[in-house]
Amino acid sequence: MPYNITGDTVGLTQSLTIIKLLEEAFPHHGKTLLPPPSDVITRSQVYKVAEIVNSGIQPLHNSAFLNQLTEIFSHGTTVDTTTSFANSMVEKGLKAVNAKVIEGKDGCRPNLCGTFEVTLADACIVPQLFNARVIGVDLERVCPSLLRVERECKDHEWFLGTEPENQLDFE
């Protein structure tokens, strides 16, 4: 994603880097995906979930990574074995994040990090639920609370129209 803030165009390709840039470059323009800096505990929880997704779940949806893994361990390893391994690790990561969901009370939305506002954690987990469906993860069994978070997010203005099938490069 190229951006131009100071007159210099720079390309960024990593989601968390792009989000960090937008949060820091436009701190007073509308809402934020992060709790206020004064709420260091909740902010840390948001980053924790984002990193579980970013480094522990998302790479396992990458077909190039899975193909390379199959090649590295090609001594009797098949693509099916590699995919099975990846699925089990995705399930493990989703279960870990699911355990962090705080169920909403009194009509509040369920949330990931102790805040009932949409956060970076939500923005990271929702696309991974789509990817998990693609590879056949039983989300009702693995992460039912995350499915409730996802349902709440889908109606939020920030998520409208962001489904993968609505993107120009969707295949």
Side-chain angles (χ1 to χ4, degrees):
M1 172 180 157
Y3 73 91
N4 184 332
I5 293 176
T6 62
D8 296 323
T9 300
V10 178
L12 294 177
T13 60
Q14 300 302 311
S15 300
L16 291 181
T17 303
I18 293 166
I19 290 169
K20 185 171 175 39
L21 169 91
L22 294 172
E23 288 283 333
E24 292 176 2
F26 305 103
H28 305 294
H29 290 81
K31 298 202 176 197
T32 176
L33 286 172
L34 296 171
S38 60
D39 188 354
V40 294
I41 300 301
T42 304
R43 200 172 175 103
S44 296
Q45 293 301 318
V46 168
Y47 279 122
K48 178 180 178 179
V49 170
E51 279 304 323
I52 290 171
V53 172
N54 188 50
S55 61
I57 298 172
Q58 187 279 332
L60 296 164
H61 293 294
N62 183 313
S63 60
F65 168 77
L66 293 176
N67 290 338
Q68 188 169 3
L69 192 61
T70 299
E71 187 177 314
I72 290 168
F73 297 108
S74 62
H75 324 295
T77 301
T78 64
V79 171
D80 289 340
T81 303
T82 304
T83 302
S84 177
F85 163 75
N87 286 6
S88 69
M89 297 308 292
V90 167
E91 285 187 13
K92 182 179 178 180
L94 290 174
K95 285 179 182 177
V97 175
N98 189 73
K100 299 184 181 338
V101 174
I102 300 166
E103 293 301 331
K105 294 180 176 46
D106 302 324
C108 291
R109 68 183 286 279
N111 70 89
L112 285 171
C113 300
T115 175
F116 292 100
E117 299 295 326
V118 171
T119 69
L120 176 62
D122 299 296
C124 287
I125 200 62
V126 169
Q128 296 317 308
L129 295 175
F130 173 87
N131 290 338
R133 285 184 183 94
V134 169
I135 63 172
V137 174
D138 180 357
L139 296 177
E140 287 290 340
R141 177 182 58 79
V142 172
C143 54
S145 294
L146 286 179
L147 293 177
R148 288 191 289 283
V149 169
E150 178 187 46
R151 281 192 294 275
E152 292 289 329
C153 286
K154 283 189 182 247
D155 293 332
H156 191 280
E157 64 182 316
W158 293 353
F159 286 84
L160 296 176
T162 63
E163 296 85 1
E165 60 272 13
N166 293 333
Q167 306 311 307
L168 294 175
D169 59 351
F170 180 73
E171 293 178 14

